[in-house]
Amino acid sequence: VAKDLAMDLPALPERGVHLICEGRTQYLSLHGKTGHLVTAERIDREQLCESVQRCVLLCETIMEGDM
């Protein structure tokens, strides 16, 4: 995530970067030391998308302050 935002890794926690996913369950989280996206919860495609052909999990990266 830090690489995609063109930031240094230590800047992520300093800037208050949060990952928000659609729905109640937060399936992904941001690892503070590596900046990698990690699964925070078991992702069950059949339960999440039921009979939908294309399964998409929408998430947004929120950052405090100006970019």
Side-chain angles (χ1 to χ4, degrees):
V1 172
K3 182 178 177 182
D4 289 342
L5 295 173
M7 297 176 63
D8 292 329
L9 187 57
L12 286 180
E14 293 171 8
R15 296 292 302 270
V17 177
H18 296 78
L19 186 70
I20 307 295
C21 294
E22 183 179 74
R24 292 182 177 192
T25 306
Q26 293 300 305
Y27 293 103
L28 302 172
S29 66
L30 190 60
H31 191 278
K33 292 185 179 187
T34 64
H36 294 161
L37 290 176
V38 294
T39 54
E41 189 80 29
R42 183 175 179 266
I43 301 174
D44 184 344
R45 184 192 185 284
E46 286 76 26
Q47 181 184 14
L48 182 65
C49 297
E50 296 178 13
S51 61
V52 178
Q53 185 75 20
R54 184 174 171 212
C55 188
V56 177
L57 182 61
L58 299 176
C59 297
E60 292 184 18
T61 304
I62 308 296
M63 182 178 304
E64 298 174 6
D66 297 334
M67 285 264 323

